[in-house]
Amino acid sequence: MSFFLHLLVNGLSLGFLYALSALGFVMIYKSSSVLNFAHGELMAAGAFLFLVLTTWAELPIPLAFILTLSGCFLLGFVIERLFLRPLIGEDLIQVIMLTVGMAAMFKGLLLFIFGGDIHQYPSFLPEAMNLHLGIIQIPSVYVATFIIGILFLVMFGFFFKYSSQGIYMRSVADNQPAAMSLGVHVRRVFALSWAIAAMVAAMSGIVLGIINGINVHELSSIGLKVFPVVILGGLDSIGGAILAGVIIGLLETFTGGYISTSLREIIPYVVLVVILMVKPYGLFGLKEIERV
Amino acid sequence: MTTEQKLLINNISVVYSDVIQVLKGVSLSIADKQIVTLVGSNGAGKTTTLKAISGLLKPENGKVTEGSIEFKGKSIQNLPPEAITRQGIIQVLEGRQEFKYLTVEENLRVGTATRFGKPYHKDLERVYELFPALARRKKTLSGFCSGGELQMMVIGRAIMAHPDLLLLDEPSLGLAPLLVREIFRIIRRVNVEQQTTILVVEQNTNMALQIAHYGYVMENGKIVLEGNAEDLKENPDVKEFYLGTAGTQGIKSYHNLKSYKRRKRWL
Amino acid sequence: MRKLHYHLCGNYKESYEEELAIFETDFGRTWMLIGIFVLLVVIPLTGSSYTLYILNTIGIYSIAAIGLNLLIGFTGQISMGHGAFFGVGAYAAAVMTTRMGVPLLIALPMAGVFTAVVGMLFGIPSLRLKHLYLTIATLAGQFIIEYILVQWEGVTGGAEGIAVSNASIFGIELDSDHAFFFLIFISLIVLTWVMVNLIRTRFGRALVAIRDNDRAAEGMGIPIFKYKLLAFGISSFYAGFAGALFAFYMMTITPEPFNMWLSIEFIAMIIIGGLGSVSGAIFGTIFIVSLSEILSMITEFLMNYGSASDLSITIAPLREFIFGLSIVLFIIFEPKGLAEIWRIVRSNFRLWPFSY
Amino acid sequence: MKTFRGEPSIFRSDPGHTVRSDLELSDLTLKFGGITALNRINLKINTGELVGIIGPNGAGKTSLLNCITGYYKPQKGSIVFNGQDVTGMATHHLTKVGIGRTFQNIELFSGMSVLSNMLLARNLHCRYNLAKAAIFSRSVRQEEVHHRQVLEELIDFLEMQSIRKEPVGSLPYGMRKRVELGRALALEPQLLVLDEPLAGMTLEEKEDMVRFLVEINTTWKQTMILVEHDMSIVMGICQRIAVLDFGIKIAEGDPKTVQNHPEVIKAYLGETALI
């Protein structure tokens, strides 16, 4: 029983981590329909920036945190300006391939600077955040992940549903020329969504780093894990990303715990394909509206 | 003309992808608070003219290479669309470019982009008052709306922006006769009640000339005829090529259409 | 006698049949024959073993890239599983020859057919999935096949892999790069010709129609799902055939090279070459293979001559960086690919020396 | 009637014998998104007829066409074509059975030339298989040439000689509609379904198009269903007209009857008759 609860807690927290990584991804997709293969590398960029600021520059944690987030916000802007903007209007596959190339660039660069080893942050989360549920102890990082996850879900949910800016962003993804004709600043929307996405990615990179330590290879493979999560949830659904993250997190830990560790890596994909055959737009994805 | 000029297009040429010339020296002017219509065949360059004004040529790799476009005395040619819309020029694109995955109300809210931060609830109410059909469909995804509802929605969306100059591209395309009249009645109302200057490109020349004050006829990238709407309606060429004889003889027999036709004189 | 066409400067065609020809001019056809002659006679006679190794690699990957181009460039279905399909072909050929003693000339097409079946199986989601959803479903296929290759030890030999028995045709041992060169390039020429034929007949037209507008295609009486499966099948056949050649050429195979990165490289090949162009797929393969060869030569050079051993470890990731950078630059500055550049160069050359 | 233009061989495939083409819709009902798009529609189309369907936007005209061509599956009722029950049949299958169509918002293959667009419609009539295509055998070559000839006749007929190699994306709107008609005709359908083929055209373009439609119908006895808003044309060329409103058929009959039907005037035409 305690093994089960242990897996449950691990699965949930892993799931929230996936969900958190997926949020930034959905953000980009919702406003520009780009499938970002460099998401894991963006996470790594944020995580390492935080590492540099805390351990090398020895800044106070809150300051380092704010600097990292704003740094990545800027990074997002720069990426959009340099790489994505020339491709506005090109085919989907070219944009996908561009993010693949970007991923390789970032990964190579980060490996060049930091190497492939694991780095650790100084520990800073208060002990008081540790939760005790009966026999189970939930470490503070997990609690923090959970809180951040919920916070983001609510924030982005409201942002896209009700705020004018959110509606403008959705309008751009829906029909670019029409948005342009109404005075929506399309290029600014793209830049903003990349900036926010990079910031969210940095956030999830840091959280992941606190739990496992940071390592370029691992972060970039988490970036790939985002795909089954967002597709399962439905590419444009924030709530779906959270739910799918939790499902896949649980699936992985339980498969790993009860069946086999080698199957663990593959099970999300198997489930993904099965679910997609029943629900072709994921659990909550918008169904394509076709008029003949 | 005695009224103040709102928009002045002076001898512009438009070229797509640096090679394809679509407009060859087009000049037209729109007086303040008037409805001006632009008619002509498909491919004559009417839509391109609208896009040259609204700046939407750019995303399609088009450019105004010669001439000037002045809006309220200021030159606006080749500015990016954001800058032009901010000055109050809003274009309603051809073929109901709705945001499929946004509800009707959200679609209307996108119209506030140029007035970001200003209250918009009054405007929403006004649009619903102009188009009661939209009020009933507020929460529906626009992808599920009928063609008529969509056409009302995209016009309403433009009205949300408080346009100074409204550019309408074929507002009656694919609409039923009753609805066509309804739409034109509303265009007229917007012009009268909100003092909006309107440039309307229309295939339904008959309707367009009924509501417009002034009209231009365009063929092959050039303006070939212009005049007050009343005068144009009486012009024999306009009658034959754009109005048809429907007005005078009722339904004409399509079974006796000849294979050859009189060509347009000005071509 | 028919007049020989040196180059086109007007529409000379006198029958619809002439419009169906692959080469518009006799000049083009002659050049192709000269090209094939150089390729199959001059190069094997003069090329070093290393040159032939590079060419062989290009030849093998070209076959797979041409197949993938049919799926992505022509049908518009993005597959991220072609690295795995390539592996399936390699393993199918290896298992057939080592376990069942099937001769090479039969094993090659059989491996292709087997992979085509697997590819169609993983193409089934295209019945309901569109765009990115399908892309990720094929990525799932990639991971699932990789998993099977590693885990199904009884057949695949697990991580150890399979040693392929000596390749021979009619008793002639294929034991050198030179011997393989002929096998690979004759296959490439035949398969390219077949692809060009498929594209200019009703099958190719139907696939392009599905890419451009699937609803309208359906209205023209084209069963979309059947054709999508066909595209998956044909392109997997090419991948499997290439994989089988790879297995014979490499002599031992392990699951490792058939990973997602290989799938991505295949896509990079056809994008850099030019989507929807058969010759582009070959150009793209030449580019990618040469690029990674040059990059590994440079890293090797730095490793050998770098003063500190530390340096060599830190230099290695730069290879990935430059690889990524060149893909990015290529897509930004020439999104239509090498085929477009080739077209421009050729049309400038056509009228030489009287251009303008 | 003798024309100086080409007489496409596809129209003469069976001289002296008109192709049978009877469509019968009974109790057709279609619901989606909580609304009843079509409510118990009964309609018969006989061989050789040109039937018009009119009605306000959102009345269900396009939905009706989509049911006939298999894009939508009706929940209730049946569609019988030439004695065969084709209710719920897939679109590509219906095309084979002999129902061809054009689309309201032009659905051409934008990257292809006019000729390739029309060639695609000939896929139905291609007989060669994959293996023959792979080696481009003699029979493939002959068949391709034959299809090209058929299309050239059609291109002559529709007066599109000058644009046959143009990419359709670069054509003006009216021409694209004509290409779409050509593509639908290349299918050699027994029943031709046209969804607003004249929308967005100038008077001149409309007259050209109407000329083709009338000739196809009267001279070549092509059975057609026409959805269109231009009343003067619908009234002028259709033998029979059905009027839909809110998914219900409110009137049916010859142009005169429909024109003076009080409900039709109220729902669709408006008090001042024609524009």
Side-chain angles (χ1 to χ4, degrees):
Chain A
M1 190 60 193
S2 84
F3 182 58
F4 175 83
L5 283 176
H6 174 73
L7 288 181
L8 185 70
V9 171
N10 273 355
L12 280 176
S13 47
L14 184 66
F16 262 92
L17 214 57
Y18 285 159
L20 198 57
S21 337
L23 277 178
F25 191 93
V26 172
M27 183 88 198
I28 290 177
Y29 182 80
K30 260 182 115 83
S31 63
S32 56
S33 307
V34 170
L35 197 68
N36 180 17
F37 265 81
H39 199 71
E41 283 72 18
L42 277 184
M43 282 162 60
F48 277 102
L49 184 58
F50 190 60
L51 179 80
V52 169
L53 293 176
T54 50
T55 43
W56 296 3
E58 294 185 2
L59 293 177
I61 298 291
L63 182 63
F65 190 68
I66 289 167
L67 278 180
T68 307
L69 290 195
S70 31
C72 285
F73 191 83
L74 273 180
L75 178 70
F77 258 118
V78 173
I79 289 176
E80 197 277 338
R81 186 72 198 81
L82 281 185
F83 300 132
L84 273 305
R85 188 163 302 174
L87 282 196
I88 292 181
E90 290 294 339
D91 278 352
L92 187 70
I93 182 157
Q94 262 122 353
V95 183
I96 292 180
M97 206 57 217
L98 182 99
T99 64
V100 169
M102 243 159 58
M105 278 172 64
F106 276 107
K107 195 174 173 189
L109 209 60
L110 287 171
L111 280 174
F112 180 65
I113 303 171
F114 299 100
D117 307 329
I118 292 194
H119 300 257
Q120 295 290 350
Y121 291 137
S123 73
F124 54 83
L125 281 174
E127 283 295 310
M129 269 174 81
N130 285 353
L131 268 188
H132 296 274
L133 290 178
I135 44 170
I136 296 294
Q137 194 199 12
I138 304 173
S140 49
V141 232
Y142 289 173
V143 179
T145 320
F146 184 78
I147 293 172
I148 292 173
I150 293 291
L151 207 68
F152 268 83
L153 168 67
V154 174
M155 257 170 51
F156 280 126
F158 272 91
F159 176 74
F160 277 119
K161 187 83 193 113
Y162 298 107
S163 82
S164 291
Q165 202 64 45
I167 290 176
Y168 302 156
M169 281 180 133
R170 277 159 61 207
S171 80
V172 170
D174 199 320
N175 187 336
Q176 247 184 67
M180 230 177 244
S181 76
L182 290 166
V184 177
H185 202 309
V186 171
R187 285 165 294 153
R188 190 177 296 161
V189 164
F190 286 156
L192 193 66
S193 64
W194 273 87
I196 296 176
M199 193 177 76
V200 178
M203 169 94 86
S204 41
I206 294 171
V207 173
L208 201 82
I210 298 171
I211 299 175
N212 294 340
I214 50 174
N215 168 298
V216 180
H217 294 292
E218 200 198 326
L219 281 162
S220 100
S221 73
I222 292 265
L224 288 178
K225 234 355 136 14
V226 168
F227 290 117
V229 173
V230 288
I231 293 284
L232 184 63
L235 266 170
D236 39 26
S237 164
I238 288 170
I242 304 267
L243 184 68
V246 171
I247 291 175
I248 287 191
L250 287 173
L251 212 62
E252 279 194 11
T253 41
F254 277 98
T255 314
Y258 287 115
I259 305 171
S260 92
T261 40
S262 65
L263 200 62
R264 183 193 152 122
E265 294 301 314
I266 203 73
I267 199 77
Y269 293 102
V270 178
V271 171
L272 174 74
V273 172
V274 172
I275 291 188
L276 280 184
M277 285 310 283
V278 187
K279 289 186 74 80
Y281 294 92
L283 295 173
F284 297 104
L286 278 174
K287 193 175 170 340
E288 195 172 345
I289 302 173
E290 285 190 345
R291 298 171 75 94
V292 190
Chain B
M1 241 180 279
T2 48
T3 34
E4 189 199 337
Q5 297 297 323
K6 182 134 253 172
L7 185 86
L8 201 67
I9 296 184
N10 192 7
N11 201 23
I12 55 164
S13 297
V14 168
V15 173
Y16 281 103
S17 314
D18 293 328
V19 277
I20 309 154
Q21 184 165 24
V22 180
L23 299 189
K24 306 157 189 164
V26 169
S27 299
L28 58 86
S29 68
I30 301 170
D32 196 18
K33 301 185 179 91
Q34 285 210 331
I35 300 180
V36 173
T37 183
L38 184 57
V39 299
S41 324
N42 282 305
K46 304 185 302 289
T47 299
T48 303
T49 309
L50 290 194
K51 287 186 172 169
I53 301 171
S54 64
L56 290 176
L57 280 180
K58 228 174 207 177
E60 294 172 14
N61 212 356
K63 222 167 86 184
V64 179
T65 50
E66 272 173 62
S68 68
I69 305 177
E70 278 172 29
F71 181 61
K72 293 196 275 190
K74 270 190 292 182
S75 164
I76 56 164
Q77 78 258 27
N78 290 332
L79 284 182
E82 305 87 56
I84 294 177
T85 45
R86 206 128 302 172
Q87 297 187 30
I89 301 181
I90 300 290
Q91 181 179 358
V92 175
L93 299 170
E94 186 179 3
R96 307 157 201 156
Q97 299 287 331
E98 80 276 17
F99 303 114
K100 279 193 247 177
Y101 301 106
L102 270 58
T103 63
V104 170
E105 183 150 317
E106 286 169 343
N107 261 281
L108 293 177
R109 281 184 63 188
V110 179
T112 64
T114 49
R115 303 164 40 80
F116 180 57
K118 300 206 179 86
Y120 56 86
H121 290 281
K122 274 237 171 62
D123 302 330
L124 270 182
E125 272 164 36
R126 163 139 183 86
V127 170
Y128 289 141
E129 189 241 325
L130 279 173
F131 306 101
L134 291 185
R136 288 192 294 274
R137 303 279 274 168
K138 257 188 227 190
K139 303 280 175 215
T140 318
L141 280 191
S142 65
F144 295 119
C145 290
S146 75
E149 288 163 337
L150 289 180
Q151 191 59 53
M152 296 183 197
M153 187 186 78
V154 292
I155 293 179
R157 205 166 63 180
I159 293 174
M160 294 289 291
H162 290 219
D164 212 359
L165 170 62
L166 183 60
L167 309 172
L168 295 171
D169 200 350
E170 307 238 3
S172 78
L173 184 71
L175 295 186
L178 255 185
L179 208 53
V180 172
R181 258 167 285 169
E182 175 75 19
I183 291 278
F184 276 96
R185 206 159 29 231
I186 290 167
I187 294 174
R188 194 63 202 257
R189 224 180 118 189
V190 170
N191 169 253
V192 173
E193 289 175 15
Q194 304 198 316
Q195 307 278 299
T196 310
T197 315
I198 297 174
L199 173 59
V200 52
V201 160
E202 189 45 65
Q203 216 55 265
N204 191 333
T205 315
N206 222 321
M207 270 298 11
L209 287 180
Q210 270 180 38
I211 63 158
H213 301 100
Y214 202 79
Y216 291 88
V217 179
M218 199 169 186
E219 286 299 337
N220 278 341
K222 290 183 197 126
I223 300 281
V224 291
L225 208 61
E226 65 168 287
N228 288 322
E230 285 77 34
D231 302 340
L232 283 179
K233 261 188 270 182
E234 297 308 317
N235 181 304
D237 283 325
V238 174
K239 261 188 183 167
E240 171 154 7
F241 295 120
Y242 302 105
L243 296 173
T245 39
T248 51
Q249 297 174 347
I251 304 163
K252 69 176 173 183
S253 171
Y254 284 96
H255 288 272
N256 294 327
L257 275 179
K258 294 189 188 81
S259 301
Y260 61 90
K261 293 185 297 265
R262 187 164 78 91
R263 299 312 305 179
K264 289 174 192 163
R265 250 186 258 161
W266 49 74
L267 286 184
Chain C
M1 206 190 102
R2 202 164 62 90
K3 244 171 47 188
L4 286 179
H5 293 155
Y6 171 63
H7 65 69
L8 290 180
C9 54
N11 195 350
Y12 292 130
K13 299 192 179 78
E14 283 160 6
S15 72
Y16 296 138
E17 226 163 295
E18 284 176 41
E19 287 213 340
L20 295 171
I22 299 177
F23 293 100
E24 287 191 313
T25 58
D26 298 297
F27 185 59
R29 203 167 303 140
T30 317
W31 267 115
M32 188 198 63
L33 290 176
I34 295 172
I36 289 179
F37 174 77
V38 170
L39 187 70
L40 290 184
V41 178
V42 180
I43 289 181
L45 283 178
T46 55
S48 69
S49 191
Y50 178 72
T51 321
L52 285 182
Y53 162 75
I54 301 288
L55 287 175
N56 284 345
T57 316
I58 289 173
I60 291 174
Y61 285 146
S62 289
I63 294 175
I66 288 171
L68 183 61
N69 194 27
L70 182 79
L71 193 59
I72 297 184
F74 284 86
T75 323
Q77 313 289 309
I78 302 174
S79 162
M80 301 210 45
H82 259 59
F85 295 153
F86 188 78
V88 169
Y91 271 93
V95 170
M96 269 189 268
T97 44
T98 51
R99 305 273 158 81
M100 302 172 216
V102 179
L104 179 137
L105 277 186
I106 295 174
L108 281 177
M110 285 297 287
V113 170
F114 180 76
T115 315
V117 173
V118 172
M120 280 155 89
L121 196 68
F122 281 94
I124 289 175
S126 70
L127 171 63
R128 301 198 62 193
L129 301 189
K130 286 198 160 171
H131 312 307
L132 298 172
Y133 288 92
L134 178 68
T135 307
I136 301 301
T138 59
L139 184 65
Q142 165 76 37
F143 288 126
I144 292 169
I145 293 176
E146 265 184 66
Y147 176 79
I148 294 171
L149 291 185
V150 176
Q151 298 295 322
W152 197 12
E153 290 179 10
V155 175
T156 64
E160 299 283 298
I162 303 178
V164 186
S165 39
N166 284 349
S168 66
I169 299 176
F170 306 127
I172 306 162
E173 289 268 320
L174 298 178
D175 50 2
S176 67
D177 293 314
H178 285 75
F180 265 101
F181 181 84
F182 291 103
L183 176 65
I184 290 168
F185 276 84
I186 289 172
S187 308
L188 176 62
I189 290 167
V190 171
L191 287 172
T192 306
W193 178 67
V194 166
M195 185 59 81
V196 171
N197 284 341
L198 286 178
I199 287 165
R200 60 182 172 151
T201 55
R202 69 174 169 130
F203 298 98
R205 287 196 296 267
L207 296 182
V208 175
I210 289 172
R211 180 194 67 191
D212 274 11
N213 188 338
D214 53 353
R215 282 160 295 160
E218 177 129 46
M220 295 298 110
I222 290 163
I224 295 183
F225 180 51
K226 217 174 103 186
Y227 273 90
K228 278 185 187 168
L229 275 193
L230 182 74
F232 266 97
I234 295 173
S235 85
S236 311
F237 176 88
Y238 275 68
F241 193 97
L245 281 173
F246 179 82
F248 287 118
Y249 189 45
M250 289 295 150
M251 303 205 311
T252 38
I253 48 167
T254 58
E256 214 241 278
F258 312 120
N259 55 18
M260 187 190 82
W261 189 243
L262 182 62
S263 293
I264 285 175
E265 276 187 53
F266 280 139
I267 299 176
M269 286 169 195
I270 60 168
I271 289 182
I272 286 179
L275 283 175
S277 149
V278 176
S279 54
I282 299 175
F283 291 141
T285 313
I286 295 173
F287 180 87
I288 294 282
V289 172
S290 322
L291 179 68
S292 48
E293 204 55 38
I294 292 169
L295 285 178
S296 53
M297 257 157 55
I298 294 173
T299 22
E300 216 166 285
F301 176 82
L302 288 173
M303 276 182 181
N304 289 340
Y305 297 92
S307 49
S309 59
D310 268 357
L311 185 68
S312 59
I313 297 166
T314 47
I315 287 290
L318 279 188
R319 187 183 152 184
E320 204 168 352
F321 174 79
I322 294 173
F323 195 84
L325 183 68
S326 29
I327 290 178
V328 166
L329 291 179
F330 219 103
I331 292 174
I332 290 179
F333 291 109
E334 193 49 71
K336 290 205 167 47
L338 287 165
E340 179 70 9
I341 297 178
W342 171 237
R343 199 185 59 76
I344 292 167
V345 168
R346 213 176 40 174
S347 67
N348 284 343
F349 233 93
R350 185 176 272 171
L351 298 176
W352 185 87
F354 302 114
S355 51
Y356 297 108
Chain D
M1 181 167 149
K2 181 83 188 158
T3 52
F4 292 102
R5 284 173 288 118
E7 298 188 359
S9 60
I10 55 166
F11 293 139
R12 288 175 284 145
S13 49
D14 207 356
H17 174 263
T18 38
V19 191
R20 191 172 153 234
S21 166
D22 299 313
L23 183 77
E24 192 170 356
L25 312 176
S26 29
D27 269 348
L28 205 66
T29 303
L30 175 77
K31 294 175 188 170
F32 56 82
I35 34 171
T36 309
L38 296 173
N39 197 355
R40 305 177 68 98
I41 302 283
N42 288 296
L43 188 64
K44 232 182 131 175
I45 284 125
N46 305 313
T47 305
E49 264 189 317
L50 169 48
V51 177
I53 298 177
I54 59 173
N57 295 91
K61 301 180 303 292
T62 300
S63 297
L64 184 67
L65 298 196
N66 283 343
C67 283
I68 296 173
T69 52
Y71 284 92
Y72 293 163
K73 312 258 174 278
Q75 274 87 4
K76 254 190 264 164
S78 69
I79 306 172
V80 177
F81 184 61
N82 286 343
Q84 184 188 1
D85 187 354
V86 296
T87 324
M89 212 180 239
T91 302
H92 60 87
H93 215 133
L94 281 163
T95 318
K96 270 182 205 140
V97 170
I99 302 178
R101 77 173 288 181
T102 67
F103 298 85
Q104 189 179 355
N105 306 313
I106 308 183
E107 303 272 3
L108 288 169
F109 307 108
S110 49
M112 301 189 203
S113 69
V114 171
L115 206 57
S116 315
N117 261 282
M118 293 175 68
L119 255 179
L120 196 80
R122 301 299 300 173
N123 256 24
L124 264 186
H125 305 277
C126 283
R127 295 280 162 262
Y128 57 81
N129 59 23
L130 191 66
K132 280 194 178 146
I135 57 168
F136 208 75
S137 70
R138 195 172 184 75
S139 60
V140 174
R141 192 180 303 263
Q142 282 164 351
E143 228 183 288
E144 292 282 313
V145 169
H146 165 70
H147 290 310
R148 179 68 195 272
Q149 275 160 348
V150 169
L151 292 185
E152 287 294 340
E153 289 166 356
L154 208 49
I155 285 172
D156 275 353
F157 175 74
L158 294 174
E159 295 165 13
M160 303 194 295
Q161 298 90 337
S162 59
I163 54 158
R164 58 158 86 79
K165 295 253 168 106
E166 301 279 321
V168 288
S170 70
L171 297 176
Y173 194 82
M175 259 312 174
R176 280 189 242 175
K177 288 247 164 194
R178 201 187 289 186
V179 175
E180 236 199 351
L181 175 67
R183 191 179 67 176
L185 285 174
L187 288 168
E188 298 183 37
Q190 288 151 47
L191 172 66
L192 182 58
V193 178
L194 304 168
D195 197 352
E196 302 196 18
L198 305 161
M201 285 188 168
T202 52
L203 195 69
E204 241 188 326
E205 291 167 335
K206 276 182 183 174
E207 284 179 353
D208 274 338
M209 195 72 162
V210 169
R211 197 156 48 89
F212 297 134
L213 294 182
V214 168
E215 188 174 339
I216 294 164
N217 177 244
T218 55
T219 313
W220 310 114
K221 305 288 178 238
Q222 172 75 59
T223 317
M224 286 197 264
I225 301 179
L226 172 72
V227 165
E228 183 48 52
H229 281 307
D230 190 320
M231 277 311 101
S232 67
I233 291 175
V234 174
M235 298 295 173
I237 68 173
C238 292
Q239 283 118 39
R240 206 148 51 83
I241 293 167
V243 190
L244 298 187
D245 190 25
F246 290 110
I248 299 169
K249 189 173 82 179
I250 55 170
E252 188 190 334
D254 60 48
K256 275 241 165 59
T257 324
V258 167
Q259 221 171 326
N260 298 318
H261 197 287
E263 261 193 89
V264 179
I265 293 176
K266 188 165 149 268
Y268 185 58
L269 298 174
E271 296 306 326
T272 49
L274 296 167
I275 306 182

